[in-house]
Amino acid sequence: MAIFSPPRQSSAQPASAPPLPRLRHIGPNWYASVMGTSIVASAGVALPVHVPGLRVACTVVWALAAVMLAVLLLARAGHWAAHRDQARTHLLDPAVAPFYGCLSMALLAVGGSTMVVGRDVIGHGAAVALDAVLYSSGTLIGLAAAIAIPYLMVVRHRIEPGNATPVWLLPVVAPMVSAALGPLLMPELPAGQWREAALLACYAMFGLSLLATLVMLPLIFARLVHLGPLPLALTPTLFLVLGPLGQSTTAVNQLADVAGDAVPAPYAAGFEVFAVLYGVPVMGFALMWLALSVALVVRAVRGGMTFAMTWWGFTFPVGTCVTGAAGLARHTGLTAYTWLAVALYALLVTAWAVAGLRTLRGLLSGALLAAPRAPAPATVRTT
């Protein structure tokens, strides 16, 4: 048939190949690798136990995350410069656009780890300056994504009923990361109005993200109940639900630590009480969701799930639960939360090592830089 015949040669000059072809398929989802690496450093130093050599190891991981962020920012800039058609396609794809929230969280995560780990290397003043830049830009990008991506979902994207996935949470959880990491910079602000404004702004972002999560989470669970498990490649994204849960618990505990220097005593004490009253039940729900997600991931592995960049979803959300459990251990004095933080950190490091090695292998082979294959169509469950 003619459709299978080779194309005839043309006398015209062939179209030149697009520049930087290896960057064409570097999407915003790659920032998840920076998030997952940075949280290993931040969560490690937040553990309420002393492990010899851990801080040095976390410093090395922080440096790796900082380098990864710089390289990825350059790669993404090249992607936008050389492949604007593909970049626009990503924005109009409801499966890819939510990952733009990862840019904000990558900036915030590296900035936060710089304050708690990187200062050992570059000094306190440089750490504050770098975090101020990364925090400000990450927060502005996160707030923009929290509005722009849902707007595109409503106006431009064509989403069929039952297509909700945990990926939808990525844009709206970014302000929660800002709320959790804002307290690191508050002691650097002038006392009085500046600190109070920063504290209440963080609580406002906490509320923004929490309420948006409460809107989307029922849609995600309803999709699972009515249509069954997610496609194999998307199964790791179930761990993304842990992000707003662990990060919000981290936020209320971090904010309670600095509230005494920002607001009058009655409110500061109230924020400390709120940290425990909110964090304990939310951490309980997070552990339930973690168990459910692990069970569905085991099922997916048995069904033939192979490596994809979605495996980075096993890292950052678990890391937020580590810092959340560490905060509860600090405010309740309960040893159980200490061991919970340690156990979750062991899970985080294992997931990070596996995802990192598989990503490196995919980069060296070129498989991760190739055009993605079309996913198999999702089907309803039959058992």
Side-chain angles (χ1 to χ4, degrees):
M1 296 178 62
I3 192 172
F4 294 116
S5 61
R8 290 179 292 182
Q9 296 294 328
S10 171
S11 59
Q13 288 287 340
S16 59
L20 304 175
R22 294 175 69 85
L23 299 183
R24 181 167 181 80
H25 302 290
I26 297 289
N29 59 311
W30 280 76
Y31 286 113
S33 63
V34 178
M35 297 159 52
T37 302
S38 188
I39 197 69
V40 171
S42 299
V45 297
L47 289 176
V49 295
H50 174 69
V51 179
L54 179 59
R55 189 172 185 91
V56 175
C58 288
T59 303
V60 174
V61 174
W62 161 79
L64 175 61
V67 172
M68 290 172 62
L69 176 62
V71 171
L72 195 50
L73 286 172
L74 289 174
R76 286 288 296 160
H79 171 85
W80 269 95
H83 305 286
R84 291 185 181 181
D85 61 323
Q86 184 70 11
R88 287 192 293 268
T89 299
H90 284 165
L91 275 174
L92 297 179
D93 186 344
V96 180
F99 284 100
Y100 271 88
C102 291
L103 168 58
S104 165
M105 290 184 281
L107 295 170
L108 292 166
V110 173
S113 62
T114 299
M115 283 294 291
V116 298
V117 183
R119 65 184 182 186
D120 296 347
V121 178
I122 64 176
H124 180 76
V128 170
L130 179 58
D131 186 31
V133 172
L134 294 177
Y135 181 83
S136 301
S137 56
T139 297
L140 291 175
I141 293 171
L143 291 173
I147 298 171
I149 301 304
Y151 174 84
L152 289 175
M153 293 171 69
V154 172
V155 176
R156 299 296 299 274
H157 296 166
R158 294 295 175 261
I159 302 174
E160 298 296 327
N163 280 356
T165 73
V167 172
W168 288 10
L169 294 172
L170 289 172
V172 300
V173 77
M176 188 68 80
V177 180
S178 294
L181 296 179
L184 294 175
L185 286 172
M186 285 186 197
E188 310 299 327
L189 297 175
Q193 290 285 311
W194 281 94
R195 291 186 187 179
E196 183 176 0
L199 180 76
L200 297 184
C202 286
Y203 272 109
M205 290 187 287
F206 165 86
L208 179 162
S209 182
L210 177 63
L211 295 177
T213 298
L214 293 178
V215 168
M216 293 185 177
L217 192 55
L219 300 176
I220 295 167
F221 188 69
R223 183 255 176 259
L224 295 174
V225 170
H226 291 296
L227 298 180
L230 294 172
L232 296 182
L234 287 178
T235 301
T237 65
L238 289 168
F239 276 65
L240 297 180
V241 175
L242 297 175
L245 303 176
Q247 197 66 270
S248 62
T249 303
T250 302
V252 293
N253 281 277
Q254 294 285 86
L255 290 168
D257 288 338
V258 298
D261 295 327
V263 292
Y267 297 106
F271 288 141
E272 291 185 9
V273 173
F274 178 66
V276 176
L277 293 182
Y278 173 88
V280 171
V282 170
M283 185 57 66
F285 179 70
L287 293 177
M288 183 278 289
W289 190 270
L290 175 62
L292 174 64
S293 300
V294 168
L296 289 170
V297 166
V298 170
R299 179 185 183 277
V301 170
R302 291 178 175 175
M305 183 181 75
T306 57
F307 175 74
M309 287 298 288
T310 52
W311 282 33
W312 283 100
F314 295 138
T315 57
F316 188 79
V318 174
T320 67
C321 291
V322 174
T323 54
L328 289 174
R330 188 168 64 251
H331 284 109
T332 65
L334 193 62
T335 305
Y337 282 119
T338 297
W339 291 112
L340 174 61
V342 171
L344 290 173
Y345 188 70
L347 175 62
L348 166 63
V349 172
T350 302
W352 172 73
V354 172
L357 290 174
R358 297 299 294 270
T359 300
L360 182 60
R361 181 188 302 177
L363 283 172
L364 294 176
S365 68
L368 289 179
L369 299 177
R373 293 177 296 179
T379 56
V380 297
R381 69 166 176 263
T382 57
T383 58

